[in-house]
Amino acid sequence: MNSFATPTRQTPDAAMLFGFWYRALASERVRHNRLQKAMLLEIPLVIGRDAQGRAFALRDACPHRGMPLSCGLFDGQQLECSYHGWKFDAHSGQCQLIPSLTADQKLRVDRIYAGALACAEHDDYIWVFVPEPGPAGAGATKPEEPPMPAPRVPTFSSAYKLAYLTADMPVNVDHGIIGLMDPAHGPFVHQAWWWRSRHSIHEKQKAFEPIPNGFRMSAHTPSSNSAPYKLLRLYADAESITTTIDFVLPNLRSETIRAGKYWFSSLTTVTPITRNRCRIDVVAAWNIFRWLPFGPRLLKFVFGKFVEQDRRTMELQAEGLKHDPHLMLIDDADRPAKWYFQLKQAYMDARPNGGEMRHPMSGPVTLKWRS
Ligand code: FES
Ligand SMILES: [Fe+2]
């Protein structure tokens, strides 16, 4: 990379990556014996919770004539389509009953499936595994067994607290993700009197290394502008605090801050809802502030402010993006964004032939920017 490097033209194409787990809904939005609509990667879903409280997810279209199953009845175990009354097992999607069949008609009802998707629930969210789309017109079968478990918020002790935040962003998933990893917008977007002003901008240098399907900002003393760091300083001396930030495909940013036995971590995801809408979900876990009654609320306030500032920025950005302007990525501040696009491309290249994914980074890299 020479010092006169020209900016790279870049228009995110917003391809959505199939074959991964995605956060579908916050757990509290789905009550027992109830159905809730959701959308992931432009796939309409119906998400529910059976009589035992176990979550399930199905494509929100009856395999008979496409009626949304979310319009049907749910008895805590089976969904009944509102059009012709076909019944489906909520977890497997297997058809249980076709009321119009007469006793001598031998149609194999159990070979018919509504499209069930693998579902997992932890850390206050229902996760859904979105498989590669099958061949057109192939019809649904049993839900695909995911090759890996759903991601979790990193935790480092048995007792901890958890909180989450969510915000809809009117931009495609790529803008959501590169906005999340963008170090240069901080002084301009995230100003607050108790936080920082644009004049606190200064030069920074950070080491990055490749990790499977992503990259890591290596363990370092957090930026003095980091919120959890400011709070952790109340508990530990500055030098003992280290932070690690990982980005992993398709959309996972995890941050871990540790100071002796105290820790704070978060797992943020940017989920493609449609081609031009995404949603950011932040789940944080910590074992600090256990004696501070307002700790969780303070944290929610701080994070809520940031997420709202980002959301508002992206709302405005969406105005500018409407007419498809030419965009660019510059070094070094946009290098993480470049790695993201390269990782995504490498994944899409490797996927069809099941080959090894070629990582775009060959080793550790140090980046410099002012923020
Ligand atoms: S459309 Fe669902 S039963 Fe006919
Ligand atoms: Fe931000």
Side-chain angles (χ1 to χ4, degrees), residues 62 64-65 67 81 83-86:
C62 178
H64 181 214
R65 214 99 92 218
M67 184 63 128
C81 180
Y83 201 172
H84 312 93
W86 293 21

Side-chain angles (χ1 to χ4, degrees), residues 179 185 190 306 310:
H185 73 288
H190 299 302
F306 289 155
D310 283 330

Side-chain angles (χ1 to χ4, degrees), residues 35-353:
L35 302 175
Q36 182 73 47
K37 284 157 89 77
M39 170 127 10
L40 285 180
L41 284 69
E42 272 171 356
I43 305 168
L45 300 175
V46 52
I47 294 187
R49 204 181 271 296
D50 65 19
Q52 284 74 46
R54 260 180 74 214
F56 60 84
L58 298 160
R59 286 171 198 268
D60 196 12
C62 178
H64 181 214
R65 214 99 92 218
M67 184 63 128
L69 292 171
S70 55
C71 307
L73 291 176
F74 178 51
D75 64 5
Q77 193 182 346
Q78 296 181 349
L79 269 92
E80 183 189 276
C81 180
S82 61
Y83 201 172
H84 312 93
W86 293 21
K87 278 193 174 184
F88 303 94
D89 177 83
H91 292 281
S92 67
Q94 191 177 41
C95 188
Q96 311 285 309
L97 175 78
I98 297 181
S100 65
L101 290 178
T102 60
D104 59 327
Q105 287 172 339
K106 297 284 173 263
L107 177 69
R108 289 289 304 274
V109 169
D110 59 345
R111 293 211 184 144
I112 298 171
Y113 283 87
L117 293 103
C119 203
E121 184 170 18
H122 51 246
D123 304 336
D124 289 350
Y125 269 86
I126 293 170
W127 292 75
V128 169
F129 182 78
V130 183
E132 287 304 327
T141 51
K142 281 193 188 94
E144 192 176 305
E145 203 47 59
M148 69 298 230
R152 283 176 180 275
V153 183
T155 55
F156 305 93
S157 56
S158 51
Y160 56 87
K161 290 221 160 95
L162 212 61
Y164 81 92
L165 270 174
T166 180
D168 286 302
M169 310 275 187
V171 292
N172 72 45
V173 66
D174 289 344
H175 280 298
I177 285 177
I178 68 176
L180 189 71
M181 57 177 61
D182 168 18
H185 73 288
F188 304 94
V189 172
H190 299 302
Q191 298 169 21
W193 63 262
W194 40 269
W195 186 245
R196 64 173 302 169
S197 73
R198 56 190 293 164
H199 304 298
S200 64
I201 190 166
H202 60 280
E203 188 169 318
K204 288 173 189 164
Q205 180 169 321
K206 296 274 156 54
F208 290 82
E209 59 194 285
I211 57 174
N213 276 357
F215 53 88
R216 166 171 297 166
M217 190 192 283
S218 317
H220 61 283
T221 305
S223 152
S224 50
N225 284 327
S226 143
Y229 172 77
K230 287 190 175 187
L231 296 167
L232 262 171
R233 281 260 301 275
L234 307 170
Y235 291 87
D237 59 276
E239 295 72 56
S240 74
I241 306 176
T242 62
T243 182
T244 306
I245 302 174
D246 288 357
F247 174 79
V248 175
L249 283 182
N251 66 345
L252 308 161
R253 179 199 193 265
S254 60
E255 177 166 9
T256 299
I257 304 178
R258 303 191 69 171
K261 61 179 178 163
Y262 296 113
W263 57 270
F264 172 93
S265 72
S266 60
L267 178 65
T268 303
T269 51
V270 180
T271 303
I273 306 301
T274 64
R275 265 190 195 274
N276 39 35
R277 255 178 55 215
C278 64
R279 194 189 62 235
I280 182 165
D281 298 289
V282 187
V283 177
W286 64 88
N287 73 342
I288 45 178
F289 328 115
R290 276 189 296 155
W291 310 273
L292 234 62
F294 57 87
R297 263 187 293 152
L298 178 69
L299 216 70
K300 242 185 142 140
F301 170 78
V302 170
F303 273 87
K305 265 284 203 283
F306 289 155
V307 170
E308 176 52 23
Q309 287 165 338
D310 283 330
R311 194 200 59 76
R312 179 71 189 132
T313 301
M314 287 183 194
E315 198 171 79
L316 297 170
Q317 184 190 9
E319 284 297 311
L321 290 172
K322 262 185 201 154
H323 307 285
D324 218 6
H326 279 283
L327 307 175
M328 56 178 75
L329 295 170
I330 65 159
D331 280 322
D332 285 354
D334 292 333
R335 192 87 71 85
K338 288 187 188 179
W339 290 331
Y340 163 68
F341 287 115
Q342 289 164 353
L343 279 164
K344 212 173 154 180
Q345 194 55 54
Y347 175 81
M348 291 190 288
D349 292 346
R351 191 80 182 165
N353 34 43

